[in-house]
Amino acid sequence: MAIRPAAHQSPTRVLIVDDSAAARAMFKVIVESDPALQVMAAVPDAYSAARTMRTELPDAILLDLEMPGMDGLTFLRKIMQQHPIPVVVCSSHVGAGTDTMVAALELGAKEVIAKPAARNEIERQEASIRICDAIRAATETGRRRSQPEPRPLAPGPKLTADEILPARPPRPVPETMPVVCIGASTGGTEALRDVLTALPASAPPIVIVQHMPRGFTGAFARRLDSLCAIEVLEAEDDMQVLPGRAIIAQGDRHLLLRRRNQGYRVSVVDGAYVCRHRPSVDVLFRSAAQEAGANALGIIMTGMGDDGARSMAEMRAAGAETIAQNEETCVVYGMPREAVAHGGVQKIEPLDKLASRIIEFGRRNAERMIR
């Protein structure tokens, strides 16, 4: 029987594939807590998923990697070869298995998130936010990117950067080395690779928040480091920010920029989710506005939601240069759109121009410091 694609409808129909009955039950409750989502089926393995998909394709798949019989990576590869459906990988194997998670992204997974422990009500609520937002973001990637309104937000609190770093009025910042701060989410792993691999070893210092789970950012940083002329590292507390070095925020911990004489170090801190994320772009950008001011360049890239929008406006008010990735090259034009709407964006550039803008920024500011 020929596979019949599911008719377009709202809510989005999700197929859950996980060998744990407890996990399937948890995911079913989480997915159906979002009115934009609906569980089409919850099955224990890839073979059951394939049988389900013989008559109708889901709009999205929530997929575990460790399963009996056919493993998740093999199933993902077959999906992408035959019917490229948006897939969100949700796995507990993000420690020793982080290289597998990188492989999942390279095979075509739209998002990779950690399987939640959900030991208490707060963790259950945070898990619901992460999983529902990841599924909705994944399905956005196959649609026209200029939708005027995003989908309704997942349930749960939405806190601001005030939770981590209090706001303060703009004030003059001493002249320091130039520093680039980048924020990205859905589609950002590939977009960051395109930007960072195009930079020379002499590039200005770069600090990055890419929304990722705990344990995955180390493998991501190592992968980029092997491809780039610059050094790419996962953040450690008090790590020095240097020319020719990019620092990527740890998954599940916020990253802040701290001025130290004419240079910078980073702080890695715990705390509440900000704009539904930890690490949060808004937290990094606020610290850049306060600590670097006009010495900074802020870049906001592809991603769903509005993380980074408010604090990019603070960066601009403090004299920083600000750039948003353009709609045409974004996987999801959410975060850049919101940054534009909040008045924080000076320039809008395509993905293939961002590296050259970073190089120009570094060159201009190096000349300024020499003078």
Side-chain angles (χ1 to χ4, degrees), residues 1-17 38-41 46 48-62 75-76 78-87 139 143:
M1 180 183 296
I3 295 177
R4 175 173 57 85
H8 175 71
Q9 58 180 320
S10 184
T12 294
R13 290 156 58 82
V14 181
L15 174 61
I16 298 168
V17 188
Q38 181 184 74
V39 175
M40 172 179 148
S48 300
R51 286 194 294 271
T52 300
M53 294 165 62
R54 286 189 186 125
T55 56
E56 187 169 68
L57 294 178
D59 299 314
I61 298 174
L62 186 63
F75 183 54
L76 176 61
K78 290 180 179 293
I79 292 170
M80 293 303 142
Q81 289 171 347
Q82 299 174 20
H83 304 283
I85 297 163
V87 174
T139 57
R143 302 179 179 181

Side-chain angles (χ1 to χ4, degrees), residues 195-311:
V195 172
L196 298 185
T197 55
L199 294 174
S202 58
I206 301 171
V207 184
I208 300 166
V209 164
Q210 163 70 45
H211 296 154
M212 283 186 175
R214 181 194 299 269
F216 181 46
T217 45
F220 180 59
R222 289 192 298 273
R223 172 66 172 160
L224 288 177
D225 187 62
S226 72
L227 299 173
C228 296
I230 63 172
E231 180 183 36
V232 184
L233 300 171
E234 183 185 41
E236 295 181 6
D237 193 47
D238 205 39
M239 180 177 282
Q240 192 170 7
V241 178
L242 296 171
R245 172 181 287 182
I247 299 174
I248 297 177
Q250 290 184 24
D252 206 35
R253 302 191 74 188
H254 292 298
L255 184 67
L256 291 82
L257 188 70
R258 299 295 192 192
R259 188 170 65 251
R260 187 77 58 86
N261 299 320
Q262 285 194 306
Y264 304 94
R265 291 181 180 269
V266 295
S267 291
V268 177
V269 302
D270 295 316
Y273 279 65
V274 171
C275 284
R276 303 179 186 271
H277 294 286
R278 186 174 60 217
S280 164
V281 181
D282 256 325
V283 171
L284 173 63
F285 281 4
R286 173 167 286 179
S287 71
Q290 296 181 359
E291 299 291 315
N295 305 296
L297 166 64
I299 300 177
I300 195 157
M301 297 174 63
T302 176
M304 185 176 183
D306 62 357
D307 189 23
R310 293 166 183 80
S311 293

Side-chain angles (χ1 to χ4, degrees), residues 151-188:
R151 289 189 179 197
L153 291 170
K158 188 174 183 183
L159 305 176
T160 71
D162 293 345
E163 293 292 317
I164 307 299
L165 185 64
R168 72 185 189 203
R171 61 189 186 190
V173 173
E175 189 172 279
T176 63
M177 74 164 69
V179 62
V180 179
C181 296
I182 300 176
S185 188
T186 309

Side-chain angles (χ1 to χ4, degrees), residues 28 32 47 65-66 74 94 154 164 231 247 261 266 288 301 317:
K28 189 174 188 295
E32 292 191 338
Y47 299 108
L65 292 182
E66 296 294 324
T74 301
V94 293
I164 307 299
E231 180 183 36
I247 299 174
N261 299 320
V266 295
M301 297 174 63

